[in-house]
Amino acid sequence: MKYTKEDLAFFRSGRAVQRTTAQGMAGKVCVVSGATSGVGLAAARRLAQGGASLVLVSRNPEKAEAVREELAREHGASVELVTADFCDLESVRRAAAGIRARHPKIDVLINSAGVYSTRRRLTKDGNETVFQVSHIAAFLLTALLLEPLRRGGGGRVVQVNSEGHRFGGLDLSDLDWKRRFYVGLRAYGASKIAQIMTVRTLARMLSGTGVTVNAMHPGGVKTAIGLNNGFFYRTWQSLVIRPLLKDPAISGEALYFLAAAPEMEGVTGKYFHLTVEERPLTFAMDETVAAQVWDKTLELAGLTPEFLEGAVRGELAGEDGGGQA
């Protein structure tokens, strides 16, 4: 994979003045995944402060309940909890079906659930864990919520991505790292490249529907990602990396801007470093590879092209996504 001078422009973005908005979110339904810590929690707090009604999707019900109590106490927010394990695609399907049943209209979907691993692990679905959690499951949840997002009249989807996509690692012939030596940074990069590619493809499909979809890097902030790994990695993170990182509140403010700002209406298929529009890695813009990634993502998510086309038109093909349950 070759890198160009433009691929290094992201160094400027983190130092740029970030945009903010005072636009309120009262009456808006916002779904946030990965909302019990880090970037997702920061987004939930800011959306609650803005008056939004929240649907928080998380794996741990106890942590989610603590977040609900905090948001109700601090902001008087209406918060609904939905349990889903992104390592289990059937769990994601059940969560999406429940959300659709209770919320015929959704205004914002923020996918911030993610994981980082130092060694190769597979999910119960047989996929490499980082690729499934960070990309496939987020894509599946988005696809299954397209109909209520359309009904929102201008639904916004924000996929929390990462400058880590610049680590590369995407090989469609070896997504599960069976042939290659597993490198955590490159496996993480592969999931984020695939997500950027599908964001761009989905944005084109949704043209004219009012629904927008963008990707964003949340900045170098303190999160719990990677703390599932071993003692030495956790120690290195705690002593070396975390002291250099910022408060995730800056991510929450940036996500609020992307979700709420009037000037973001109609903006779609873009990649943002916080609120600064940026050009992703050159490889992530390869449309030939993107078409292959799209087809593979549908296959791994158990979705059919007909289902996606129907969802984009507002004609949901079935609760299981039109593919394998």
Side-chain angles (χ1 to χ4, degrees):
M1 184 181 298
K2 295 181 179 180
Y3 293 86
T4 69
K5 184 177 180 180
E6 287 183 322
D7 291 332
L8 303 178
F10 70 93
F11 284 114
R12 296 192 299 267
S13 302
R15 299 191 297 270
V17 176
Q18 301 298 325
R19 295 179 287 174
T20 61
T21 183
Q23 179 69 35
M25 292 290 278
K28 303 291 187 181
V29 175
C30 301
V31 180
V32 184
S33 73
T36 58
S37 66
V39 173
L41 176 57
R45 285 170 172 160
R46 184 62 182 90
L47 288 165
Q49 181 184 4
S53 296
L54 296 174
V55 180
L56 305 184
V57 182
S58 66
R59 184 178 60 177
N60 188 312
E62 290 76 23
K63 288 184 178 180
E65 181 58 38
V67 172
R68 173 162 63 179
E69 291 175 1
E70 175 199 326
L71 299 182
R73 180 178 64 252
E74 298 293 331
H75 305 291
S78 170
V79 182
E80 176 185 328
L81 304 181
V82 177
T83 301
D85 183 353
F86 276 28
C87 287
D88 179 358
L89 295 180
E90 182 56 32
S91 174
V92 176
R93 290 178 181 277
R94 289 194 298 270
I99 294 170
R100 287 203 310 268
R102 291 183 295 275
H103 299 280
K105 182 177 77 70
I106 294 172
D107 298 285
V108 174
L109 169 62
I110 296 175
N111 279 308
S112 65
V115 67
Y116 174 80
S117 182
T118 56
R119 64 184 179 89
R120 179 178 180 266
R121 297 180 174 91
L122 300 182
T123 67
K124 66 176 296 183
D125 299 289
N127 301 309
E128 192 274 320
T129 296
V130 175
F131 196 80
Q132 175 163 321
V133 172
S134 297
H135 173 55
I136 302 170
F139 180 87
L140 178 60
L141 183 63
T142 301
L144 295 178
L145 295 182
L146 282 179
E147 190 171 49
L149 282 161
R150 278 181 54 96
R151 291 199 192 106
R156 300 184 186 183
V157 180
V158 184
Q159 309 282 33
V160 176
N161 200 266
S162 174
E163 293 291 8
H165 79 275
R166 301 180 191 279
F167 296 136
L170 182 67
D171 182 344
L172 286 169
S173 69
D174 189 30
L175 289 176
D176 294 334
W177 295 80
K178 294 176 181 177
R179 292 187 293 99
R180 296 174 291 167
F181 178 77
Y182 188 88
V183 180
L185 291 176
R186 288 176 60 76
Y188 186 76
S191 71
K192 297 304 182 180
I193 289 175
Q195 188 178 70
I196 289 173
M197 288 178 164
T198 54
V199 160
R200 289 166 53 81
T201 303
L202 185 58
R204 289 194 295 270
M205 289 185 67
L206 290 166
S207 177
T209 68
V211 178
T212 62
V213 53
N214 293 293
M216 71 89 76
H217 169 63
V221 297
K222 295 180 175 71
T223 73
I225 194 166
L227 297 184
N228 55 296
N229 293 293
F231 171 77
F232 291 107
Y233 180 84
R234 295 198 307 272
T235 301
W236 176 71
Q237 276 282 84
S238 299
L239 299 181
V240 179
I241 301 300
R242 286 184 68 83
L244 304 176
L245 301 178
K246 300 176 182 178
D247 190 315
I250 66 170
S251 307
E253 194 66 50
L255 283 165
Y256 188 83
F257 176 85
L258 298 179
E263 53 263 55
M264 286 299 298
E265 182 176 352
V267 177
T268 191
K270 305 297 184 181
Y271 176 82
F272 293 89
H273 184 124
L274 294 171
T275 63
V276 177
E277 185 179 338
E278 190 176 277
R279 187 182 188 278
L281 182 70
T282 300
F283 177 74
M285 309 287 281
D286 188 314
E287 296 299 339
T288 300
V289 179
Q292 298 169 355
V293 167
W294 179 263
D295 291 341
K296 191 63 177 179
T297 300
L298 290 182
E299 175 190 334
L300 294 175
L303 298 170
T304 65
E306 292 76 19
F307 171 80
L308 257 295
E309 291 165 6
V312 167
R313 294 194 303 268
E315 303 165 358
L316 194 59
E319 290 192 4
D320 69 350
Q324 300 175 356

